PDB file of all heavy atoms in Angstrom:
ATOM      1  N   TYR A 880     -11.974   8.985 -53.299  1.00  0.00           N
ATOM      2  CA  TYR A 880     -12.168   7.594 -52.797  1.00  0.00           C
ATOM      3  C   TYR A 880     -12.888   7.714 -51.459  1.00  0.00           C
ATOM      4  O   TYR A 880     -12.649   8.612 -50.661  1.00  0.00           O
ATOM      5  CB  TYR A 880     -10.868   6.848 -52.660  1.00  0.00           C
ATOM      6  CG  TYR A 880     -10.364   6.221 -53.903  1.00  0.00           C
ATOM      7  CD1 TYR A 880      -9.553   6.974 -54.758  1.00  0.00           C
ATOM      8  CD2 TYR A 880     -10.634   4.867 -54.189  1.00  0.00           C
ATOM      9  CE1 TYR A 880      -9.052   6.342 -55.960  1.00  0.00           C
ATOM     10  CE2 TYR A 880     -10.132   4.303 -55.367  1.00  0.00           C
ATOM     11  CZ  TYR A 880      -9.332   5.003 -56.235  1.00  0.00           C
ATOM     12  OH  TYR A 880      -8.870   4.462 -57.391  1.00  0.00           O
ATOM     13  N   GLN A 882     -13.663   5.454 -47.828  1.00  0.00           N
ATOM     14  CA  GLN A 882     -13.191   4.348 -47.112  1.00  0.00           C
ATOM     15  C   GLN A 882     -14.127   4.221 -45.871  1.00  0.00           C
ATOM     16  O   GLN A 882     -13.968   4.894 -44.873  1.00  0.00           O
ATOM     17  CB  GLN A 882     -11.738   4.512 -46.651  1.00  0.00           C
ATOM     18  CG  GLN A 882     -11.221   3.245 -45.949  1.00  0.00           C
ATOM     19  CD  GLN A 882      -9.786   3.339 -45.501  1.00  0.00           C
ATOM     20  OE1 GLN A 882      -9.353   4.389 -45.037  1.00  0.00           O
ATOM     21  NE2 GLN A 882      -9.038   2.342 -45.617  1.00  0.00           N
ATOM     22  N   ARG A 886     -12.905  -0.537 -44.208  1.00  0.00           N
ATOM     23  CA  ARG A 886     -11.595  -0.148 -44.719  1.00  0.00           C
ATOM     24  C   ARG A 886     -11.411  -0.400 -46.197  1.00  0.00           C
ATOM     25  O   ARG A 886     -10.355  -0.101 -46.780  1.00  0.00           O
ATOM     26  CB  ARG A 886     -10.424  -0.679 -43.857  1.00  0.00           C
ATOM     27  CG  ARG A 886      -9.943  -2.111 -44.192  1.00  0.00           C
ATOM     28  CD  ARG A 886      -8.682  -2.386 -43.447  1.00  0.00           C
ATOM     29  NE  ARG A 886      -8.272  -3.756 -43.756  1.00  0.00           N
ATOM     30  CZ  ARG A 886      -8.017  -4.633 -42.831  1.00  0.00           C
ATOM     31  NH1 ARG A 886      -8.158  -4.290 -41.527  1.00  0.00           N
ATOM     32  NH2 ARG A 886      -7.697  -5.914 -43.097  1.00  0.00           N
ATOM     33  N   ARG A 893     -14.314  10.530 -60.474  1.00  0.00           N
ATOM     34  CA  ARG A 893     -13.063  10.874 -61.051  1.00  0.00           C
ATOM     35  C   ARG A 893     -13.263  12.006 -62.066  1.00  0.00           C
ATOM     36  O   ARG A 893     -14.314  12.207 -62.635  1.00  0.00           O
ATOM     37  CB  ARG A 893     -12.438   9.716 -61.769  1.00  0.00           C
ATOM     38  CG  ARG A 893     -13.218   9.102 -62.892  1.00  0.00           C
ATOM     39  CD  ARG A 893     -12.749   7.761 -63.303  1.00  0.00           C
ATOM     40  NE  ARG A 893     -13.665   7.166 -64.258  1.00  0.00           N
ATOM     41  CZ  ARG A 893     -13.716   5.809 -64.514  1.00  0.00           C
ATOM     42  NH1 ARG A 893     -12.879   5.044 -63.896  1.00  0.00           N
ATOM     43  NH2 ARG A 893     -14.535   5.421 -65.414  1.00  0.00           N
ATOM     44  N   GLU A 895     -10.967  14.139 -65.267  1.00  0.00           N
ATOM     45  CA  GLU A 895      -9.781  14.348 -66.121  1.00  0.00           C
ATOM     46  C   GLU A 895      -9.539  15.852 -66.177  1.00  0.00           C
ATOM     47  O   GLU A 895     -10.534  16.595 -66.428  1.00  0.00           O
ATOM     48  CB  GLU A 895     -10.026  13.779 -67.471  1.00  0.00           C
ATOM     49  CG  GLU A 895     -10.199  12.310 -67.549  1.00  0.00           C
ATOM     50  CD  GLU A 895     -11.167  11.877 -68.607  1.00  0.00           C
ATOM     51  OE1 GLU A 895     -12.311  12.328 -68.618  1.00  0.00           O
ATOM     52  OE2 GLU A 895     -10.758  11.125 -69.442  1.00  0.00           O
ATOM     53  N   GLY A 944       2.250   6.230 -66.929  1.00  0.00           N
ATOM     54  CA  GLY A 944       0.960   5.794 -66.522  1.00  0.00           C
ATOM     55  C   GLY A 944       0.917   4.760 -65.377  1.00  0.00           C
ATOM     56  O   GLY A 944      -0.141   4.370 -64.898  1.00  0.00           O
ATOM     57  N   LEU A 948      -1.158   6.765 -56.853  1.00  0.00           N
ATOM     58  CA  LEU A 948      -1.940   7.924 -56.490  1.00  0.00           C
ATOM     59  C   LEU A 948      -1.282   8.669 -55.360  1.00  0.00           C
ATOM     60  O   LEU A 948      -0.776   8.061 -54.422  1.00  0.00           O
ATOM     61  CB  LEU A 948      -3.380   7.450 -56.028  1.00  0.00           C
ATOM     62  CG  LEU A 948      -4.174   6.737 -57.107  1.00  0.00           C
ATOM     63  CD1 LEU A 948      -5.375   6.100 -56.434  1.00  0.00           C
ATOM     64  CD2 LEU A 948      -4.576   7.700 -58.172  1.00  0.00           C
TER      65      LEU A 948
ATOM     66  N   TYR B  73       0.342   0.130 -51.260  1.00  0.00           N
ATOM     67  CA  TYR B  73       0.228   1.323 -50.490  1.00  0.00           C
ATOM     68  C   TYR B  73       0.289   1.011 -49.021  1.00  0.00           C
ATOM     69  O   TYR B  73      -0.118  -0.072 -48.585  1.00  0.00           O
ATOM     70  CB  TYR B  73      -1.133   1.973 -50.721  1.00  0.00           C
ATOM     71  CG  TYR B  73      -1.328   2.581 -52.117  1.00  0.00           C
ATOM     72  CD1 TYR B  73      -1.763   1.802 -53.181  1.00  0.00           C
ATOM     73  CD2 TYR B  73      -1.050   3.908 -52.339  1.00  0.00           C
ATOM     74  CE1 TYR B  73      -1.917   2.394 -54.453  1.00  0.00           C
ATOM     75  CE2 TYR B  73      -1.240   4.475 -53.575  1.00  0.00           C
ATOM     76  CZ  TYR B  73      -1.661   3.756 -54.593  1.00  0.00           C
ATOM     77  OH  TYR B  73      -1.807   4.309 -55.839  1.00  0.00           O
ATOM     78  N   GLN B  75      -1.034   2.471 -45.250  1.00  0.00           N
ATOM     79  CA  GLN B  75      -1.899   3.451 -44.566  1.00  0.00           C
ATOM     80  C   GLN B  75      -1.489   3.430 -43.052  1.00  0.00           C
ATOM     81  O   GLN B  75      -1.639   2.415 -42.406  1.00  0.00           O
ATOM     82  CB  GLN B  75      -3.387   3.064 -44.774  1.00  0.00           C
ATOM     83  CG  GLN B  75      -4.298   4.156 -44.114  1.00  0.00           C
ATOM     84  CD  GLN B  75      -5.783   3.930 -44.404  1.00  0.00           C
ATOM     85  OE1 GLN B  75      -6.241   2.788 -44.396  1.00  0.00           O
ATOM     86  NE2 GLN B  75      -6.453   4.973 -44.721  1.00  0.00           N
ATOM     87  N   ASN B 138      -6.801   4.731 -65.766  1.00  0.00           N
ATOM     88  CA  ASN B 138      -5.946   4.078 -64.706  1.00  0.00           C
ATOM     89  C   ASN B 138      -6.648   4.069 -63.360  1.00  0.00           C
ATOM     90  O   ASN B 138      -6.054   4.295 -62.337  1.00  0.00           O
ATOM     91  CB  ASN B 138      -4.617   4.840 -64.635  1.00  0.00           C
ATOM     92  CG  ASN B 138      -3.554   4.034 -63.826  1.00  0.00           C
ATOM     93  OD1 ASN B 138      -3.779   2.891 -63.476  1.00  0.00           O
ATOM     94  ND2 ASN B 138      -2.432   4.658 -63.642  1.00  0.00           N
ATOM     95  N   GLU B 139      -7.961   3.783 -63.433  1.00  0.00           N
ATOM     96  CA  GLU B 139      -8.686   3.639 -62.118  1.00  0.00           C
ATOM     97  C   GLU B 139      -8.040   2.432 -61.423  1.00  0.00           C
ATOM     98  O   GLU B 139      -7.906   1.377 -61.909  1.00  0.00           O
ATOM     99  CB  GLU B 139     -10.198   3.324 -62.327  1.00  0.00           C
ATOM    100  CG  GLU B 139     -10.962   3.062 -61.017  1.00  0.00           C
ATOM    101  CD  GLU B 139     -12.343   2.614 -61.294  1.00  0.00           C
ATOM    102  OE1 GLU B 139     -12.863   2.852 -62.419  1.00  0.00           O
ATOM    103  OE2 GLU B 139     -12.967   2.070 -60.335  1.00  0.00           O
ATOM    104  N   GLN B 140      -7.699   2.683 -60.146  1.00  0.00           N
ATOM    105  CA  GLN B 140      -7.057   1.652 -59.399  1.00  0.00           C
ATOM    106  C   GLN B 140      -8.137   0.957 -58.473  1.00  0.00           C
ATOM    107  O   GLN B 140      -8.846   1.619 -57.784  1.00  0.00           O
ATOM    108  CB  GLN B 140      -5.957   2.213 -58.491  1.00  0.00           C
ATOM    109  CG  GLN B 140      -4.774   2.774 -59.377  1.00  0.00           C
ATOM    110  CD  GLN B 140      -3.622   3.274 -58.568  1.00  0.00           C
ATOM    111  OE1 GLN B 140      -3.482   2.956 -57.434  1.00  0.00           O
ATOM    112  NE2 GLN B 140      -2.757   3.982 -59.250  1.00  0.00           N
ATOM    113  N   PRO B 144      -8.689  -5.558 -49.948  1.00  0.00           N
ATOM    114  CA  PRO B 144      -9.345  -5.279 -48.649  1.00  0.00           C
ATOM    115  C   PRO B 144      -8.339  -4.742 -47.585  1.00  0.00           C
ATOM    116  O   PRO B 144      -8.795  -4.335 -46.533  1.00  0.00           O
ATOM    117  CB  PRO B 144      -9.959  -6.593 -48.249  1.00  0.00           C
ATOM    118  CG  PRO B 144      -9.123  -7.627 -48.930  1.00  0.00           C
ATOM    119  CD  PRO B 144      -8.619  -6.993 -50.212  1.00  0.00           C
TER     120      PRO B 144
END
Side-chain angles (χ1 to χ4, degrees):
Chain A
Y880 277 86
Q882 186 179 40
R886 82 171 179 236
R893 59 192 173 201
E895 298 146 302
L948 298 168
Chain B
Y73 290 86
Q75 186 173 41
N138 196 3
E139 176 187 343
Q140 295 186 15

